[in-house]
PDB file of all heavy atoms in Angstrom:
ATOM      1  N   ARG A   1     194.943  63.296  11.741  1.00 98.00           N
ATOM      2  CA  ARG A   1     194.395  64.261  12.701  1.00 98.00           C
ATOM      3  C   ARG A   1     194.831  65.683  12.333  1.00 98.00           C
ATOM      4  O   ARG A   1     194.021  66.624  12.380  1.00 98.00           O
ATOM      5  CB  ARG A   1     194.849  63.924  14.126  1.00 98.00           C
ATOM      6  CG  ARG A   1     194.045  64.655  15.208  1.00 98.00           C
ATOM      7  CD  ARG A   1     194.581  64.372  16.604  1.00 98.00           C
ATOM      8  NE  ARG A   1     194.652  62.971  16.929  1.00 98.00           N
ATOM      9  CZ  ARG A   1     193.645  62.245  17.400  1.00 98.00           C
ATOM     10  NH1 ARG A   1     192.462  62.812  17.590  1.00 98.00           N
ATOM     11  NH2 ARG A   1     193.822  60.957  17.687  1.00 98.00           N
ATOM     12  N   ALA A   2     196.099  65.829  11.951  1.00 98.00           N
ATOM     13  CA  ALA A   2     196.583  67.155  11.565  1.00 98.00           C
ATOM     14  C   ALA A   2     195.819  67.672  10.345  1.00 98.00           C
ATOM     15  O   ALA A   2     195.490  68.869  10.276  1.00 98.00           O
ATOM     16  CB  ALA A   2     198.081  67.084  11.268  1.00 98.00           C
ATOM     17  N   PHE A   3     195.516  66.787   9.400  1.00 98.00           N
ATOM     18  CA  PHE A   3     194.745  67.208   8.228  1.00 98.00           C
ATOM     19  C   PHE A   3     193.331  67.623   8.630  1.00 98.00           C
ATOM     20  O   PHE A   3     192.845  68.689   8.232  1.00 98.00           O
ATOM     21  CB  PHE A   3     194.691  66.084   7.196  1.00 98.00           C
ATOM     22  CG  PHE A   3     193.719  66.344   6.077  1.00 98.00           C
ATOM     23  CD1 PHE A   3     194.054  67.203   5.037  1.00 98.00           C
ATOM     24  CD2 PHE A   3     192.463  65.751   6.070  1.00 98.00           C
ATOM     25  CE1 PHE A   3     193.151  67.463   4.013  1.00 98.00           C
ATOM     26  CE2 PHE A   3     191.555  66.004   5.057  1.00 98.00           C
ATOM     27  CZ  PHE A   3     191.900  66.862   4.014  1.00 98.00           C
ATOM     28  N   PHE A   4     192.664  66.794   9.414  1.00 98.00           N
ATOM     29  CA  PHE A   4     191.268  67.091   9.764  1.00 98.00           C
ATOM     30  C   PHE A   4     191.140  68.353  10.615  1.00 98.00           C
ATOM     31  O   PHE A   4     190.094  69.008  10.591  1.00 98.00           O
ATOM     32  CB  PHE A   4     190.639  65.903  10.473  1.00 98.00           C
ATOM     33  CG  PHE A   4     190.330  64.740   9.572  1.00 98.00           C
ATOM     34  CD1 PHE A   4     190.871  63.488   9.810  1.00 98.00           C
ATOM     35  CD2 PHE A   4     189.497  64.893   8.471  1.00 98.00           C
ATOM     36  CE1 PHE A   4     190.593  62.417   8.981  1.00 98.00           C
ATOM     37  CE2 PHE A   4     189.213  63.825   7.633  1.00 98.00           C
ATOM     38  CZ  PHE A   4     189.762  62.582   7.890  1.00 98.00           C
ATOM     39  N   HIS A   5     192.187  68.716  11.352  1.00 98.00           N
ATOM     40  CA  HIS A   5     192.137  69.915  12.171  1.00 98.00           C
ATOM     41  C   HIS A   5     192.395  71.193  11.365  1.00 98.00           C
ATOM     42  O   HIS A   5     192.260  72.296  11.910  1.00 98.00           O
ATOM     43  CB  HIS A   5     193.139  69.810  13.323  1.00 98.00           C
ATOM     44  CG  HIS A   5     192.671  68.932  14.430  1.00 98.00           C
ATOM     45  ND1 HIS A   5     193.408  68.717  15.579  1.00 98.00           N
ATOM     46  CD2 HIS A   5     191.529  68.199  14.594  1.00 98.00           C
ATOM     47  CE1 HIS A   5     192.749  67.892  16.391  1.00 98.00           C
ATOM     48  NE2 HIS A   5     191.610  67.568  15.816  1.00 98.00           N
ATOM     49  N   LEU A   6     192.764  71.052  10.094  1.00 98.00           N
ATOM     50  CA  LEU A   6     192.935  72.229   9.250  1.00 98.00           C
ATOM     51  C   LEU A   6     191.585  72.897   9.010  1.00 98.00           C
ATOM     52  O   LEU A   6     190.535  72.250   9.073  1.00 98.00           O
ATOM     53  CB  LEU A   6     193.528  71.825   7.896  1.00 98.00           C
ATOM     54  CG  LEU A   6     194.972  71.310   7.869  1.00 98.00           C
ATOM     55  CD1 LEU A   6     195.308  70.771   6.489  1.00 98.00           C
ATOM     56  CD2 LEU A   6     195.942  72.419   8.268  1.00 98.00           C
ATOM     57  N   PRO A   7     191.575  74.195   8.710  1.00 97.00           N
ATOM     58  CA  PRO A   7     190.302  74.833   8.348  1.00 97.00           C
ATOM     59  C   PRO A   7     189.756  74.237   7.060  1.00 97.00           C
ATOM     60  O   PRO A   7     190.508  73.728   6.216  1.00 97.00           O
ATOM     61  CB  PRO A   7     190.687  76.303   8.164  1.00 97.00           C
ATOM     62  CG  PRO A   7     192.159  76.291   7.904  1.00 97.00           C
ATOM     63  CD  PRO A   7     192.711  75.130   8.683  1.00 97.00           C
ATOM     64  N   ASP A   8     188.454  74.293   6.896  1.00 96.00           N
ATOM     65  CA  ASP A   8     187.828  73.714   5.706  1.00 96.00           C
ATOM     66  C   ASP A   8     188.396  74.312   4.418  1.00 96.00           C
ATOM     67  O   ASP A   8     188.473  73.629   3.390  1.00 96.00           O
ATOM     68  CB  ASP A   8     186.313  73.917   5.746  1.00 96.00           C
ATOM     69  CG  ASP A   8     185.634  72.994   6.750  1.00 96.00           C
ATOM     70  OD1 ASP A   8     186.340  72.166   7.374  1.00 96.00           O
ATOM     71  OD2 ASP A   8     184.404  73.106   6.918  1.00 96.00           O
ATOM     72  N   SER A   9     188.819  75.559   4.468  1.00 96.00           N
ATOM     73  CA  SER A   9     189.358  76.191   3.267  1.00 96.00           C
ATOM     74  C   SER A   9     190.621  75.489   2.776  1.00 96.00           C
ATOM     75  O   SER A   9     190.889  75.453   1.567  1.00 96.00           O
ATOM     76  CB  SER A   9     189.659  77.675   3.543  1.00 96.00           C
ATOM     77  OG  SER A   9     190.595  77.802   4.612  1.00 96.00           O
ATOM     78  N   ALA A  10     191.396  74.902   3.695  1.00 97.00           N
ATOM     79  CA  ALA A  10     192.606  74.181   3.309  1.00 97.00           C
ATOM     80  C   ALA A  10     192.291  72.791   2.770  1.00 97.00           C
ATOM     81  O   ALA A  10     193.076  72.216   2.014  1.00 97.00           O
ATOM     82  CB  ALA A  10     193.553  74.074   4.501  1.00 97.00           C
ATOM     83  N   LYS A  11     191.131  72.247   3.144  1.00 97.00           N
ATOM     84  CA  LYS A  11     190.725  70.915   2.683  1.00 97.00           C
ATOM     85  C   LYS A  11     189.913  70.973   1.389  1.00 97.00           C
ATOM     86  O   LYS A  11     189.834  69.985   0.646  1.00 97.00           O
ATOM     87  CB  LYS A  11     189.917  70.218   3.781  1.00 97.00           C
ATOM     88  CG  LYS A  11     190.752  69.893   5.016  1.00 97.00           C
ATOM     89  CD  LYS A  11     189.932  69.260   6.131  1.00 97.00           C
ATOM     90  CE  LYS A  11     189.191  70.288   6.944  1.00 97.00           C
ATOM     91  NZ  LYS A  11     188.626  69.735   8.194  1.00 97.00           N
ATOM     92  N   GLU A  12     189.342  72.132   1.099  1.00 97.00           N
ATOM     93  CA  GLU A  12     188.454  72.272  -0.046  1.00 97.00           C
ATOM     94  C   GLU A  12     189.104  71.893  -1.384  1.00 97.00           C
ATOM     95  O   GLU A  12     188.435  71.303  -2.239  1.00 97.00           O
ATOM     96  CB  GLU A  12     187.912  73.705  -0.109  1.00 97.00           C
ATOM     97  CG  GLU A  12     186.858  73.938  -1.177  1.00 97.00           C
ATOM     98  CD  GLU A  12     185.613  73.083  -0.997  1.00 97.00           C
ATOM     99  OE1 GLU A  12     185.296  72.692   0.152  1.00 97.00           O
ATOM    100  OE2 GLU A  12     184.971  72.793  -2.021  1.00 97.00           O
ATOM    101  N   PRO A  13     190.394  72.182  -1.626  1.00 96.00           N
ATOM    102  CA  PRO A  13     190.982  71.800  -2.916  1.00 96.00           C
ATOM    103  C   PRO A  13     190.961  70.291  -3.199  1.00 96.00           C
ATOM    104  O   PRO A  13     191.065  69.897  -4.358  1.00 96.00           O
ATOM    105  CB  PRO A  13     192.423  72.316  -2.818  1.00 96.00           C
ATOM    106  CG  PRO A  13     192.344  73.461  -1.862  1.00 96.00           C
ATOM    107  CD  PRO A  13     191.321  73.042  -0.847  1.00 96.00           C
ATOM    108  N   VAL A  14     190.818  69.456  -2.164  1.00 97.00           N
ATOM    109  CA  VAL A  14     190.754  68.002  -2.383  1.00 97.00           C
ATOM    110  C   VAL A  14     189.381  67.455  -1.988  1.00 97.00           C
ATOM    111  O   VAL A  14     189.238  66.283  -1.635  1.00 97.00           O
ATOM    112  CB  VAL A  14     191.878  67.259  -1.625  1.00 97.00           C
ATOM    113  CG1 VAL A  14     193.221  67.573  -2.254  1.00 97.00           C
ATOM    114  CG2 VAL A  14     191.886  67.616  -0.131  1.00 97.00           C
ATOM    115  N   ASN A  15     188.355  68.288  -2.053  1.00 97.00           N
ATOM    116  CA  ASN A  15     186.997  67.873  -1.714  1.00 97.00           C
ATOM    117  C   ASN A  15     186.476  66.921  -2.787  1.00 97.00           C
ATOM    118  O   ASN A  15     186.355  67.291  -3.961  1.00 97.00           O
ATOM    119  CB  ASN A  15     186.089  69.098  -1.616  1.00 97.00           C
ATOM    120  CG  ASN A  15     184.719  68.772  -1.049  1.00 97.00           C
ATOM    121  OD1 ASN A  15     184.264  67.621  -1.074  1.00 97.00           O
ATOM    122  ND2 ASN A  15     184.042  69.779  -0.537  1.00 97.00           N
ATOM    123  N   MET A  16     186.169  65.683  -2.406  1.00 96.00           N
ATOM    124  CA  MET A  16     185.725  64.696  -3.383  1.00 96.00           C
ATOM    125  C   MET A  16     184.359  65.035  -3.987  1.00 96.00           C
ATOM    126  O   MET A  16     183.969  64.457  -5.005  1.00 96.00           O
ATOM    127  CB  MET A  16     185.685  63.295  -2.758  1.00 96.00           C
ATOM    128  CG  MET A  16     184.607  63.078  -1.718  1.00 96.00           C
ATOM    129  SD  MET A  16     184.476  61.342  -1.206  1.00 96.00           S
ATOM    130  CE  MET A  16     186.001  61.067  -0.315  1.00 96.00           C
ATOM    131  N   ALA A  17     183.627  65.965  -3.389  1.00 94.00           N
ATOM    132  CA  ALA A  17     182.335  66.358  -3.948  1.00 94.00           C
ATOM    133  C   ALA A  17     182.477  66.975  -5.330  1.00 94.00           C
ATOM    134  O   ALA A  17     181.510  67.033  -6.090  1.00 94.00           O
ATOM    135  CB  ALA A  17     181.630  67.340  -3.019  1.00 94.00           C
ATOM    136  N   HIS A  18     183.691  67.422  -5.675  1.00 92.00           N
ATOM    137  CA  HIS A  18     183.920  68.017  -6.986  1.00 92.00           C
ATOM    138  C   HIS A  18     184.370  66.985  -8.015  1.00 92.00           C
ATOM    139  O   HIS A  18     184.727  67.348  -9.137  1.00 92.00           O
ATOM    140  CB  HIS A  18     184.973  69.125  -6.886  1.00 92.00           C
ATOM    141  CG  HIS A  18     184.647  70.173  -5.870  1.00 92.00           C
ATOM    142  ND1 HIS A  18     183.376  70.718  -5.740  1.00 92.00           N
ATOM    143  CD2 HIS A  18     185.413  70.771  -4.921  1.00 92.00           C
ATOM    144  CE1 HIS A  18     183.380  71.610  -4.762  1.00 92.00           C
ATOM    145  NE2 HIS A  18     184.596  71.655  -4.239  1.00 92.00           N
ATOM    146  N   THR A  19     184.416  65.719  -7.621  1.00 88.00           N
ATOM    147  CA  THR A  19     184.907  64.660  -8.505  1.00 88.00           C
ATOM    148  C   THR A  19     183.792  63.655  -8.779  1.00 88.00           C
ATOM    149  O   THR A  19     182.713  63.713  -8.188  1.00 88.00           O
ATOM    150  CB  THR A  19     186.091  63.913  -7.864  1.00 88.00           C
ATOM    151  OG1 THR A  19     185.595  63.037  -6.829  1.00 88.00           O
ATOM    152  CG2 THR A  19     187.098  64.875  -7.251  1.00 88.00           C
ATOM    153  N   GLY A  20     184.073  62.724  -9.654  1.00 85.00           N
ATOM    154  CA  GLY A  20     183.142  61.624  -9.901  1.00 85.00           C
ATOM    155  C   GLY A  20     183.609  60.343  -9.260  1.00 85.00           C
ATOM    156  O   GLY A  20     183.259  59.251  -9.713  1.00 85.00           O
ATOM    157  N   SER A  21     184.415  60.459  -8.209  1.00 88.00           N
ATOM    158  CA  SER A  21     184.974  59.268  -7.566  1.00 88.00           C
ATOM    159  C   SER A  21     185.009  59.465  -6.068  1.00 88.00           C
ATOM    160  O   SER A  21     184.526  60.470  -5.541  1.00 88.00           O
ATOM    161  CB  SER A  21     186.386  58.997  -8.097  1.00 88.00           C
ATOM    162  OG  SER A  21     187.266  60.034  -7.697  1.00 88.00           O
ATOM    163  N   ASN A  22     185.587  58.503  -5.368  1.00 92.00           N
ATOM    164  CA  ASN A  22     185.720  58.588  -3.917  1.00 92.00           C
ATOM    165  C   ASN A  22     187.202  58.698  -3.557  1.00 92.00           C
ATOM    166  O   ASN A  22     187.787  57.823  -2.943  1.00 92.00           O
ATOM    167  CB  ASN A  22     185.065  57.398  -3.220  1.00 92.00           C
ATOM    168  CG  ASN A  22     185.628  56.061  -3.699  1.00 92.00           C
ATOM    169  OD1 ASN A  22     186.194  55.961  -4.786  1.00 92.00           O
ATOM    170  ND2 ASN A  22     185.461  55.022  -2.891  1.00 92.00           N
ATOM    171  N   ARG A  23     187.789  59.811  -3.957  1.00 96.00           N
ATOM    172  CA  ARG A  23     189.176  60.122  -3.617  1.00 96.00           C
ATOM    173  C   ARG A  23     189.214  61.537  -3.069  1.00 96.00           C
ATOM    174  O   ARG A  23     188.666  62.468  -3.661  1.00 96.00           O
ATOM    175  CB  ARG A  23     190.083  60.027  -4.851  1.00 96.00           C
ATOM    176  CG  ARG A  23     190.144  58.653  -5.504  1.00 96.00           C
ATOM    177  CD  ARG A  23     190.865  57.635  -4.617  1.00 96.00           C
ATOM    178  NE  ARG A  23     191.121  56.394  -5.326  1.00 96.00           N
ATOM    179  CZ  ARG A  23     190.293  55.362  -5.370  1.00 96.00           C
ATOM    180  NH1 ARG A  23     189.110  55.449  -4.767  1.00 96.00           N
ATOM    181  NH2 ARG A  23     190.610  54.257  -6.017  1.00 96.00           N
ATOM    182  N   GLY A  24     189.891  61.696  -1.921  1.00 97.00           N
ATOM    183  CA  GLY A  24     190.015  63.001  -1.313  1.00 97.00           C
ATOM    184  C   GLY A  24     189.193  63.145  -0.054  1.00 97.00           C
ATOM    185  O   GLY A  24     188.829  62.161   0.601  1.00 97.00           O
ATOM    186  N   TRP A  25     188.895  64.400   0.288  1.00 98.00           N
ATOM    187  CA  TRP A  25     188.210  64.738   1.545  1.00 98.00           C
ATOM    188  C   TRP A  25     186.703  64.663   1.377  1.00 98.00           C
ATOM    189  O   TRP A  25     186.132  65.166   0.409  1.00 98.00           O
ATOM    190  CB  TRP A  25     188.603  66.159   1.944  1.00 98.00           C
ATOM    191  CG  TRP A  25     187.877  66.710   3.140  1.00 98.00           C
ATOM    192  CD1 TRP A  25     187.813  66.170   4.388  1.00 98.00           C
ATOM    193  CD2 TRP A  25     187.127  67.929   3.195  1.00 98.00           C
ATOM    194  NE1 TRP A  25     187.066  66.973   5.224  1.00 98.00           N
ATOM    195  CE2 TRP A  25     186.640  68.065   4.512  1.00 98.00           C
ATOM    196  CE3 TRP A  25     186.825  68.925   2.261  1.00 98.00           C
ATOM    197  CZ2 TRP A  25     185.860  69.143   4.918  1.00 98.00           C
ATOM    198  CZ3 TRP A  25     186.060  70.009   2.660  1.00 98.00           C
ATOM    199  CH2 TRP A  25     185.580  70.120   3.978  1.00 98.00           C
ATOM    200  N   GLY A  26     186.061  64.014   2.349  1.00 97.00           N
ATOM    201  CA  GLY A  26     184.613  64.017   2.435  1.00 97.00           C
ATOM    202  C   GLY A  26     184.186  64.843   3.635  1.00 97.00           C
ATOM    203  O   GLY A  26     184.548  64.540   4.780  1.00 97.00           O
ATOM    204  N   ALA A  27     183.455  65.911   3.394  1.00 96.00           N
ATOM    205  CA  ALA A  27     183.036  66.826   4.452  1.00 96.00           C
ATOM    206  C   ALA A  27     181.972  66.179   5.340  1.00 96.00           C
ATOM    207  O   ALA A  27     181.393  65.145   4.986  1.00 96.00           O
ATOM    208  CB  ALA A  27     182.490  68.112   3.827  1.00 96.00           C
ATOM    209  N   PRO A  28     181.671  66.761   6.497  1.00 96.00           N
ATOM    210  CA  PRO A  28     180.567  66.251   7.321  1.00 96.00           C
ATOM    211  C   PRO A  28     179.275  66.186   6.508  1.00 96.00           C
ATOM    212  O   PRO A  28     179.016  67.034   5.655  1.00 96.00           O
ATOM    213  CB  PRO A  28     180.466  67.277   8.450  1.00 96.00           C
ATOM    214  CG  PRO A  28     181.814  67.901   8.534  1.00 96.00           C
ATOM    215  CD  PRO A  28     182.339  67.924   7.136  1.00 96.00           C
ATOM    216  N   TYR A  29     178.504  65.147   6.763  1.00 95.00           N
ATOM    217  CA  TYR A  29     177.185  64.945   6.149  1.00 95.00           C
ATOM    218  C   TYR A  29     177.272  64.672   4.636  1.00 95.00           C
ATOM    219  O   TYR A  29     176.296  64.865   3.923  1.00 95.00           O
ATOM    220  CB  TYR A  29     176.261  66.142   6.425  1.00 95.00           C
ATOM    221  CG  TYR A  29     176.186  66.493   7.896  1.00 95.00           C
ATOM    222  CD1 TYR A  29     176.827  67.629   8.382  1.00 95.00           C
ATOM    223  CD2 TYR A  29     175.518  65.663   8.801  1.00 95.00           C
ATOM    224  CE1 TYR A  29     176.791  67.937   9.736  1.00 95.00           C
ATOM    225  CE2 TYR A  29     175.477  65.971  10.154  1.00 95.00           C
ATOM    226  CZ  TYR A  29     176.117  67.096  10.624  1.00 95.00           C
ATOM    227  OH  TYR A  29     176.079  67.400  11.969  1.00 95.00           O
ATOM    228  N   SER A  30     178.430  64.189   4.178  1.00 94.00           N
ATOM    229  CA  SER A  30     178.579  63.883   2.746  1.00 94.00           C
ATOM    230  C   SER A  30     178.317  62.408   2.434  1.00 94.00           C
ATOM    231  O   SER A  30     178.352  62.021   1.272  1.00 94.00           O
ATOM    232  CB  SER A  30     179.975  64.274   2.257  1.00 94.00           C
ATOM    233  OG  SER A  30     180.985  63.570   2.951  1.00 94.00           O
ATOM    234  N   GLU A  31     178.067  61.613   3.473  1.00 94.00           N
ATOM    235  CA  GLU A  31     177.748  60.197   3.285  1.00 94.00           C
ATOM    236  C   GLU A  31     176.496  59.848   4.070  1.00 94.00           C
ATOM    237  O   GLU A  31     176.226  60.429   5.122  1.00 94.00           O
ATOM    238  CB  GLU A  31     178.881  59.291   3.792  1.00 94.00           C
ATOM    239  CG  GLU A  31     180.093  59.223   2.916  1.00 94.00           C
ATOM    240  CD  GLU A  31     181.059  58.155   3.408  1.00 94.00           C
ATOM    241  OE1 GLU A  31     180.801  57.507   4.442  1.00 94.00           O
ATOM    242  OE2 GLU A  31     182.067  57.983   2.757  1.00 94.00           O
ATOM    243  N   GLN A  32     175.778  58.856   3.566  1.00 94.00           N
ATOM    244  CA  GLN A  32     174.588  58.361   4.252  1.00 94.00           C
ATOM    245  C   GLN A  32     174.553  56.841   4.077  1.00 94.00           C
ATOM    246  O   GLN A  32     174.053  56.331   3.091  1.00 94.00           O
ATOM    247  CB  GLN A  32     173.324  59.010   3.678  1.00 94.00           C
ATOM    248  CG  GLN A  32     172.056  58.688   4.455  1.00 94.00           C
ATOM    249  CD  GLN A  32     170.864  59.484   3.956  1.00 94.00           C
ATOM    250  OE1 GLN A  32     170.899  60.073   2.874  1.00 94.00           O
ATOM    251  NE2 GLN A  32     169.798  59.526   4.745  1.00 94.00           N
ATOM    252  N   VAL A  33     175.112  56.112   5.054  1.00 93.00           N
ATOM    253  CA  VAL A  33     175.203  54.663   4.911  1.00 93.00           C
ATOM    254  C   VAL A  33     173.878  53.967   5.205  1.00 93.00           C
ATOM    255  O   VAL A  33     173.666  52.833   4.793  1.00 93.00           O
ATOM    256  CB  VAL A  33     176.316  54.064   5.806  1.00 93.00           C
ATOM    257  CG1 VAL A  33     177.679  54.628   5.430  1.00 93.00           C
ATOM    258  CG2 VAL A  33     176.024  54.285   7.281  1.00 93.00           C
ATOM    259  N   ASP A  34     172.991  54.639   5.939  1.00 93.00           N
ATOM    260  CA  ASP A  34     171.684  54.074   6.264  1.00 93.00           C
ATOM    261  C   ASP A  34     170.614  55.061   5.784  1.00 93.00           C
ATOM    262  O   ASP A  34     170.526  56.178   6.296  1.00 93.00           O
ATOM    263  CB  ASP A  34     171.556  53.861   7.773  1.00 93.00           C
ATOM    264  CG  ASP A  34     170.213  53.275   8.190  1.00 93.00           C
ATOM    265  OD1 ASP A  34     169.328  53.110   7.320  1.00 93.00           O
ATOM    266  OD2 ASP A  34     170.041  52.986   9.397  1.00 93.00           O
ATOM    267  N   PRO A  35     169.808  54.675   4.803  1.00 93.00           N
ATOM    268  CA  PRO A  35     168.800  55.616   4.285  1.00 93.00           C
ATOM    269  C   PRO A  35     167.759  56.017   5.314  1.00 93.00           C
ATOM    270  O   PRO A  35     167.053  57.018   5.130  1.00 93.00           O
ATOM    271  CB  PRO A  35     168.174  54.855   3.114  1.00 93.00           C
ATOM    272  CG  PRO A  35     168.467  53.417   3.376  1.00 93.00           C
ATOM    273  CD  PRO A  35     169.781  53.388   4.098  1.00 93.00           C
ATOM    274  N   ASP A  36     167.633  55.250   6.398  1.00 94.00           N
ATOM    275  CA  ASP A  36     166.670  55.582   7.446  1.00 94.00           C
ATOM    276  C   ASP A  36     167.253  56.490   8.533  1.00 94.00           C
ATOM    277  O   ASP A  36     166.542  56.880   9.464  1.00 94.00           O
ATOM    278  CB  ASP A  36     166.137  54.301   8.088  1.00 94.00           C
ATOM    279  CG  ASP A  36     165.314  53.472   7.114  1.00 94.00           C
ATOM    280  OD1 ASP A  36     164.638  54.070   6.257  1.00 94.00           O
ATOM    281  OD2 ASP A  36     165.367  52.224   7.199  1.00 94.00           O
ATOM    282  N   ALA A  37     168.549  56.793   8.417  1.00 96.00           N
ATOM    283  CA  ALA A  37     169.200  57.710   9.360  1.00 96.00           C
ATOM    284  C   ALA A  37     169.582  58.982   8.622  1.00 96.00           C
ATOM    285  O   ALA A  37     169.522  59.056   7.393  1.00 96.00           O
ATOM    286  CB  ALA A  37     170.436  57.051   9.970  1.00 96.00           C
ATOM    287  N   ASN A  38     169.983  60.003   9.363  1.00 96.00           N
ATOM    288  CA  ASN A  38     170.490  61.218   8.750  1.00 96.00           C
ATOM    289  C   ASN A  38     171.890  60.972   8.194  1.00 96.00           C
ATOM    290  O   ASN A  38     172.567  60.018   8.606  1.00 96.00           O
ATOM    291  CB  ASN A  38     170.526  62.346   9.780  1.00 96.00           C
ATOM    292  CG  ASN A  38     169.137  62.781  10.197  1.00 96.00           C
ATOM    293  OD1 ASN A  38     168.202  62.746   9.396  1.00 96.00           O
ATOM    294  ND2 ASN A  38     168.982  63.194  11.452  1.00 96.00           N
ATOM    295  N   PRO A  39     172.358  61.808   7.267  1.00 95.00           N
ATOM    296  CA  PRO A  39     173.740  61.674   6.801  1.00 95.00           C
ATOM    297  C   PRO A  39     174.720  61.696   7.972  1.00 95.00           C
ATOM    298  O   PRO A  39     174.509  62.371   8.982  1.00 95.00           O
ATOM    299  CB  PRO A  39     173.915  62.886   5.882  1.00 95.00           C
ATOM    300  CG  PRO A  39     172.533  63.149   5.360  1.00 95.00           C
ATOM    301  CD  PRO A  39     171.621  62.856   6.523  1.00 95.00           C
ATOM    302  N   ASP A  40     175.807  60.941   7.851  1.00 96.00           N
ATOM    303  CA  ASP A  40     176.776  60.783   8.932  1.00 96.00           C
ATOM    304  C   ASP A  40     177.533  62.092   9.175  1.00 96.00           C
ATOM    305  O   ASP A  40     177.944  62.762   8.228  1.00 96.00           O
ATOM    306  CB  ASP A  40     177.776  59.681   8.577  1.00 96.00           C
ATOM    307  CG  ASP A  40     177.078  58.357   8.243  1.00 96.00           C
ATOM    308  OD1 ASP A  40     176.008  58.092   8.822  1.00 96.00           O
ATOM    309  OD2 ASP A  40     177.612  57.612   7.404  1.00 96.00           O
TER     310      ASP A  40
END
């Protein structure tokens, strides 16, 4: 909870969008588990 309440700028250095794997922070709308729904 303490991590998620940080500003996005503090989470950006571990943003998994910059990697080729699923390690680190995933921002809002970065996953879509159901193709018929909007990203989570």
Side-chain angles (χ1 to χ4, degrees):
R1 195 184 305 276
F3 170 78
F4 287 122
H5 283 181
L6 292 172
D8 286 357
S9 59
K11 293 177 278 192
E12 186 61 27
V14 291
N15 189 339
M16 69 172 69
H18 305 316
T19 75
S21 66
N22 57 338
R23 299 291 190 270
W25 174 56
Y29 308 107
S30 60
E31 285 188 358
Q32 188 173 15
V33 299
D34 180 355
D36 294 326
N38 292 327
D40 305 328

